[in-house]
Amino acid sequence: MNLSPQPPASLGKSLVLVVDDISKNLQVVGSLLRIEGYRIAPATSGAQALERVRAETPDLILLDRMMPEMDGLEVCRRLKSDPVTQPIPVIFLTASNEMEHLVKGFEVGAVDYVTKPFNPPELLARVRTHLELKHARDTILRYGQELSRLNEEKNEFMGIAAHDLRNPLSAIKGYAEMVVEDGESLVHGGVSNIPACGRELQENGQRIGDTAARMAEMVQNLLDANRIERGEMKLDLKLTDLCPSLNQVIETQRPRATAKQQTVHLESDAAPVMALADPNVTVQVLENLVSNAVKYSPPDRDIFVRLKSGAENVRVEVRDQGPGLSAEDQKKLFGKFARLSAKPTGGEHSTGLGLSIVKKMVEAMKGRVWCESEPGKGATFIVEFAKA
Ligand SMILES: Nc1ncnc2c1ncn2[C@@H]1O[C@H](COP(=O)(O)OP(=O)(O)OP(=O)(O)O)[C@@H](O)[C@H]1O
Ligand SMILES: [Mg+2]
């Protein structure tokens, strides 16, 4: 798509419908506009004007206010009540002694007025201004439609690509596990030289498996982001005990923390702690927050996860002793592809999608999520769930 604005030269080809029951006026206005290069459609009554509009949609209408049978106000009212003709700008042609009726003209949808007898430069200036405005509005509308079509196409493409990557990735993970097992049997096979070979096989198999798992996580993130963007996220929102979800998350993340000599502490002031939530989505949300705490904290630090039950809501707080976030970084934190000042401390991957997904998921569950932090003093991420 070419997003550069079209030159206003095309205004010259614009079709202007001129409506006046006095043919002399039609001739004067018509010849004035023709000299400027506009195309003219004349009409001598309201009924004829509506007919002409149906035959070819004009870009602008100059409409006499006072006409026998159907007056200008009625014509304008009819044009504005039809979605096809509603966007056409209407300029009223009014005698100077009809000024008190002007408000009515604007009320029925006119954009401007010109008083008779005409001052040619004024008439031309008003016509040009409103044609330019209409042209700009049409262009924005066209670009908007084109952009949402392209965005839809991009989402579809991303969804297909991410979805199709999942199967080969799980096959790679499966084969990697087999390689690790083969290595193990060589290590324990008792044949000289083979154990060293087996260990190497085991290590390489492990690396392939870890890499495939990381890629699968990225693909899952892309699929989630896509699903949310297309409004296709399905929620099973119900009163849920958050304790098992939190325990599951901590047990999944603990090996990563332990590998960095970090300790994860869990505190809860009660059990069970019931809140309005989707259990699977909650696990995904909390996994993102705890995995961030592990990812961005240096080794040897503590991570504190607290579950607090209040009168109207339940909070889960994930506090770390990592680098924290500046005010500037906090503003961008929940945006898409936000990779900020803090970098992973153990070579973990970072796509910058996790928190944008978290925010959408939490809000879909009628909750809130935010971060409290000062640079150098760690960060606390808080998720608030409704109780009912
Ligand atoms: N606990 C934290 N402490 C300091 N910075 C953080 C913390 N959590 C997130 N950030 C910063 O915010 C950015 C966005 O986090 P987000 O979870 O959205 O993406 P990510 O971790 O980079 O990638 P992924 O998509 O794998 O989650 C991170 O790149 C990091 O710079
Ligand atoms: Mg993350």
Side-chain angles (χ1 to χ4, degrees), residues 23-81:
S23 5
K24 181 84 186 113
N25 285 345
L26 277 185
Q27 275 167 16
V28 174
V29 176
S31 54
L32 203 62
L33 295 175
R34 249 183 231 109
I35 294 171
E36 291 296 305
Y38 299 117
R39 290 186 302 128
I40 303 300
T44 49
S45 69
Q48 198 182 32
L50 294 174
E51 227 168 78
R52 291 237 182 233
V53 169
R54 270 193 293 274
E56 186 179 1
T57 313
D59 297 289
L60 182 120
I61 301 176
L62 287 173
L63 184 59
D64 186 17
R65 215 196 72 54
M66 292 292 279
M67 289 186 293
E69 291 163 36
M70 195 189 298
D71 72 357
L73 286 178
E74 182 53 25
V75 177
C76 188
R77 219 174 270 123
R78 290 192 190 193
L79 289 169
K80 296 296 162 188
S81 64

Side-chain angles (χ1 to χ4, degrees), residues 221 288-289 291-292 295-296 349-355:
N221 269 351
N288 259 298
L289 298 181
S291 79
N292 273 356
K295 197 197 293 193
Y296 297 106
H349 71 278
S350 154
T351 52
L353 271 176
L355 289 175

Side-chain angles (χ1 to χ4, degrees), residues 13 23 85 187 220 233 268 327:
K13 305 259 183 322
S23 5
T85 52
V187 170
Q220 190 57 47
M233 187 176 58
S268 172

Side-chain angles (χ1 to χ4, degrees), residues 111-125:
V111 290
D112 209 347
Y113 67 92
V114 180
T115 46
K116 296 192 256 187
F118 311 113
N119 169 4
E122 183 196 336
L123 176 73
L124 289 177

Side-chain angles (χ1 to χ4, degrees), residues 305-327:
V305 182
R306 275 175 79 187
L307 189 54
K308 283 162 69 180
S309 183
E312 279 169 17
N313 44 48
V314 174
R315 282 184 177 191
V316 180
E317 293 180 2
V318 180
R319 179 162 65 87
D320 65 47
Q321 300 174 326
L325 292 118
S326 65

Side-chain angles (χ1 to χ4, degrees), residues 315-367:
R315 282 184 177 191
V316 180
E317 293 180 2
V318 180
R319 179 162 65 87
D320 65 47
Q321 300 174 326
L325 292 118
S326 65
E328 202 51 38
D329 272 1
Q330 285 186 46
K331 277 189 219 148
K332 304 178 195 150
L333 194 56
F334 293 97
K336 259 199 290 184
F337 303 109
R339 282 188 287 188
L340 306 172
S341 317
K343 301 288 176 245
T345 54
E348 296 96 332
H349 71 278
S350 154
T351 52
L353 271 176
L355 289 175
S356 67
I357 296 172
V358 162
K359 188 169 164 61
K360 296 254 170 64
M361 287 179 162
V362 171
E363 285 172 359
M365 293 191 288
K366 304 187 193 322

